[in-house]
Amino acid sequence: MTVNGSDSDDLVVALVPAAGRGVRLGGAAPKAFVAVGGTPMVRLAVDGLIASGAVDRIIVMVPPEFVSSAVALLPETNSVDVVVGGAERTDSVRAGIAAAPEAAYFLVHDAARALTPPDLIARVAAELRAGRPAVVPALPVVDTIKSVDEFGAVTGTPDRSGLRAIQTPQGFAAELLRSAYATDTNATDDAGLVERLGARVHTIPGDPMAFKITTPLDLRLAHALLDERTAGLA
Ligand code: C5P
C-alpha cells in the first residue's frame, strides 16, 4: 500500500533532499531539522506531500547522524523512508533515486520549501501524468537581475520579462532523471541537469508560499505565516 493508496505501475516517488547543513540559516541543527511553529521543516514538507494525494512513496535524504531522529519525527507509514544523503545536494538526490527503482515519476522537493501548498504538488504531478517529461514551478522575477564580474562591475542586465525564479517540487519522468544523474555532474537544481540532456522542461505557475527557507528572515516569515494558518484554524 502506498501513501495515496494506489498500487499502480505508474508510481510517483517524492525525493526530499534534507541533508544540507544550512549554514546560511545559522542554527545549530541542519536546516531541515529546524522547527517552524514547533514542527521541523522536513516534517512540514513531508506532510504537504502526503496532503497533495499525488504521491505514492516519499524518500527523505538526511545527514548520516540524523537518520534515527528523522525516522522518529516523520509519519509512521511504510511509504516514508529515510536514506543517507551526500555532501552536495546532487549527491543527496542521487541517493534517493537509487532507493526507488520502482518509480515511474519523481518529484524532487526541498525540505526547505516547508510551506509549499499541496495543490502545487498535485499540479506538478498531474502535468507528469499528462505526459510532460519535466515540469517545474516558476514565478516571475520581481527584482532587476544583473550579471557581474569578479570585481563586482556590472556586465549585463538580462530582460527581466524572460526570467523566472524556479521552485520545487520539480517533476520528471523517472527515466529522464535517472539519465540526467547517470553522469557525474553538478547543478543548483535538477531541471538544470535534465536541460543539459536537451530535454524540454515545462514551467507551470509557482506559488509564493513555496519559498525556500534559507535565511533567518525567511524563518521569521515562515513562523508568522504558520501562526496565521494556526489562528485561522482556531
Ligand atoms: O542549500 P540549499 O538551500 O540550496 O538546499 C536545498 C535543499 O537541499 C535543502 O532542503 C537541503 O537540506 C538539501 N540538501 C541536501 N544535501 C546537501 C545539500 C543540501 O539534501 N548536501
Side-chain angles (χ1 to χ4, degrees):
M1 186 56 84
T2 58
V3 168
N4 72 4
S6 97
D7 287 313
S8 62
D9 57 3
D10 61 348
L11 294 181
V12 178
V13 176
L15 306 178
V16 182
R21 298 288 160 181
V23 178
R24 286 167 292 182
L25 202 55
K31 178 163 71 174
F33 292 83
V34 171
V36 180
T39 307
M41 283 186 217
V42 63
R43 173 69 197 242
L44 290 170
V46 166
D47 285 348
L49 286 162
I50 293 172
S52 77
V55 174
D56 296 294
R57 185 180 170 210
I58 300 168
I59 299 174
V60 183
M61 294 78 79
V62 303
E65 67 277 24
F66 278 82
V67 170
S68 52
S69 41
V71 168
L73 66 83
L74 288 171
E76 267 185 58
T77 152
N78 56 11
S79 297
V80 179
D81 292 305
V82 176
V83 304
V84 174
E88 303 293 335
R89 185 183 178 283
T90 42
D91 299 322
S92 298
V93 174
R94 190 176 278 113
I97 291 170
E102 79 283 19
Y105 306 102
F106 283 118
L107 297 183
V108 187
H109 185 43
D110 289 334
R113 296 185 190 270
L115 304 189
T116 301
D119 161 69
L120 175 60
I121 297 163
R123 283 192 287 123
V124 173
E127 293 284 344
L128 289 177
R129 289 188 185 280
R132 303 257 192 214
V135 182
V136 298
L139 287 179
V141 173
V142 291
D143 291 317
T144 293
I145 306 290
K146 292 191 186 292
S147 55
V148 294
D149 67 16
E150 60 189 306
F151 306 107
V154 171
T155 56
T157 308
D159 178 8
R160 193 171 69 185
S161 66
L163 298 176
R164 296 290 180 274
I166 300 301
Q167 305 178 314
T168 74
Q170 297 192 352
F172 306 95
E175 261 327 298
L176 179 59
L177 193 66
R178 289 188 190 107
S179 302
Y181 270 88
T183 52
D184 184 21
T185 182
N186 224 332
T188 51
D189 79 338
D190 306 286
L193 298 177
V194 163
E195 287 155 37
R196 282 182 209 159
L197 293 182
R200 188 181 171 90
V201 177
H202 181 68
T203 61
I204 62 167
D207 192 306
M209 288 292 282
F211 70 101
K212 187 167 70 171
I213 302 170
T214 305
T215 66
L217 182 63
D218 298 330
L219 192 57
R220 286 172 64 187
L221 175 63
H223 273 294
L225 289 166
L226 261 193
D227 279 353
E228 266 180 31
R229 196 193 277 179
T230 312
L233 289 175

